[in-house]
Amino acid sequence: MWQHNYAPLAGNLPLSTLVAALPIFVLLFLLGVQRKPAWIAAISGLVAASVVAVFEYGMPVRNLVGAITYGGAYGLFPIGWIVFGAILMYRITLETGKFEILKNSVGHLTSDRRVQALLIAFAFGAFIEGASGFGTPIAVAAAMLAGLGFSPFFAAGICLVANTAPVAFGSIGIPIITLAGTTGLPLDRLSAGVGRICAPVSLFVPAYLVMVMGGWKALKGVLPAAAVCGVAFAATQFAVSNFIGVQLTDILASLIALACLVMLLRVWKPADTFSFPDEHRGATQVTVPHYTAGELALAWSPYILLVLFVLAWGYKPIQDQLNKVNILIPWPWLHNEVVRVQPVVLKPTPYAAVFNLNYLSAAGTSCLFAGITSAILLRMSLKKFFEVLLHTLRQLALAEFTMACVLAIAFLMNYSGATGTLGLAFAATGASFPFFSALLGWLGVFLTGSDTSANALFGPLQVVTATRLGMNPVLMAAANSSGGVMGKMISLASIAVASAATSMKREDEARLFRFTFRHSIFLASVIGVVVLFYAYVAPGLAP
């Protein structure tokens, strides 16, 4: 078995860290400076990660190949599988003409673009995140906004920024459940910790979202809507995460925020008018027709079915039955062939690599069943359904390839020891570790595209480091998940999903990365400051 060495360059951690971060530098340079498409950046990053793994860490080639293929497989399933199901659903509603009714029903509530963004990108997106996660809300909400007249680029950017507040509790709380499983910390305390960190930020995310769209001038006209949305979501997120549990946090918070917005719109209208700059304007907005209750119910039925199927898949008795047919694959050339050592783990431990082919219980399968049921309900012919299926496969081919490459980078860095090196570098920050603890989670989600994966990646390291520094391990583990949500908007997997959902131009992917990067850094830093507050100013309020 091959053993990790977290300071392979003459035992020098700072120097080893610089080299370990080379794949990240390559990604940032190609996307942010050279403006290359995401798939080119992903391939280049994978080549850089391979060079670092072999020549810095001395990783055997068989383990290198095992880590790359394992990460690529995870990128395609379950993440790519969920995206496929979500986009298939969108294409079905589009081809049957129901998407026009669906988006017009939102337009009937309000024609104001800012409020539409709050309704769809934030509130409805958070609901889909809570039920499904793993890229589904970005795909669904971005497609809806593009259909309402947002440019594909702007629709994608808005949804990436909005998909921050709910991510830590996404997919029925899977990120925090994973964090509890990998760290051994109590689930209820971790839930409370993440809620106490995220809720203050969720309070102003709706207002921040509107400011991203048009600055303070844009926010001033819809301040009541942004305030109601933020207060409703944040208060519910705090209460449910602290007193009920992780599974329903996003679902209840988003539903209450959505209901409060709808009620507000019955008695209030924006105080001004808002229009996009030409570069962010998509399709021309038309007069919104009125529909009967039956037409509206039928148009919304695919997404109602999506939620019902996802919730059913998350119901433990059903999930247990579906999991009985899972196929567990000890990954060739990798499973237990790599050994993690101190201080990343408490004692030398073989690194497992078991691929769970949960083809029935995966969230993507629930999306697929919802899509098939929707096609039947909407009376789509079998021939048309297969045409839509093939169109979706062609549309997503490059995006799925990009996701596979990105996850291959993440898994290779993890199994080679590069991720451990980066984590120890963050841990060496000492008293300022609470701030950098959040940034470590941010880095993990940037690399993997998933808060769940980032928690599995860095959760144990956060606990070990916190214990060594005499800090609250629950707070540091919660900081990992909370900071991680802000990395979601710049992960290549998320950008690929948003690009595919809106049929955005490939050259706009690098532009989208630059658009979201500054917001990601700022919001992750805010999370870091909140964690510092709990660590040093009000430790009694920490979980």
Side-chain angles (χ1 to χ4, degrees), residues 187 418-419:
L187 178 62
T419 298

Side-chain angles (χ1 to χ4, degrees), residues 31-239:
L31 281 173
V33 179
Q34 291 294 304
R35 306 182 182 183
K36 297 294 184 182
W39 69 272
I40 292 178
I43 292 176
S44 303
L46 182 56
V47 171
S50 301
V51 170
V52 169
V54 172
F55 293 102
E56 179 184 8
Y57 290 92
M59 188 180 198
V61 173
R62 63 181 279 118
N63 299 143
L64 173 86
V65 174
I68 290 173
T69 53
Y70 185 39
Y74 187 82
L76 295 174
F77 189 95
I79 296 176
W81 183 231
I82 291 174
V83 175
F84 171 76
I87 301 302
L88 177 64
M89 171 77 75
Y90 165 66
R91 294 299 311 179
I92 289 170
T93 60
L94 191 67
E95 293 295 331
T96 56
K98 302 305 177 187
F99 190 79
E100 283 296 309
I101 299 175
L102 190 150
K103 71 181 180 65
N104 286 336
S105 69
V106 177
H108 184 66
L109 287 172
T110 177
S111 60
D112 189 277
R113 300 301 200 188
R114 298 162 294 182
V115 183
Q116 288 174 349
L118 292 176
L119 284 165
I120 295 174
F122 185 82
F124 185 66
F127 181 76
I128 298 295
E129 177 69 45
S132 180
F134 294 100
T136 313
I138 296 171
V140 172
M144 291 179 70
L145 287 183
L148 280 168
F150 289 63
S151 72
F153 169 82
F154 205 48
I158 289 298
C159 289
L160 285 169
V161 174
N163 189 228
T164 50
V167 167
F169 295 95
S171 192
I172 323 294
I174 286 298
I176 301 176
I177 292 171
T178 300
L179 185 62
T182 57
T183 61
L185 296 172
L187 178 62
D188 58 342
R189 289 186 63 195
L190 286 172
S191 175
V194 175
R196 294 177 198 188
I197 295 170
C198 286
V201 181
S202 299
L203 191 65
F204 74 82
V205 166
Y208 186 84
L209 183 66
V210 176
M211 289 191 70
V212 168
M213 295 179 67
W216 169 250
K217 184 178 179 181
L219 175 61
K220 191 163 57 173
V222 292
L223 196 55
V228 165
C229 187
V231 170
F233 187 91
T236 309
Q237 185 182 54
F238 179 88

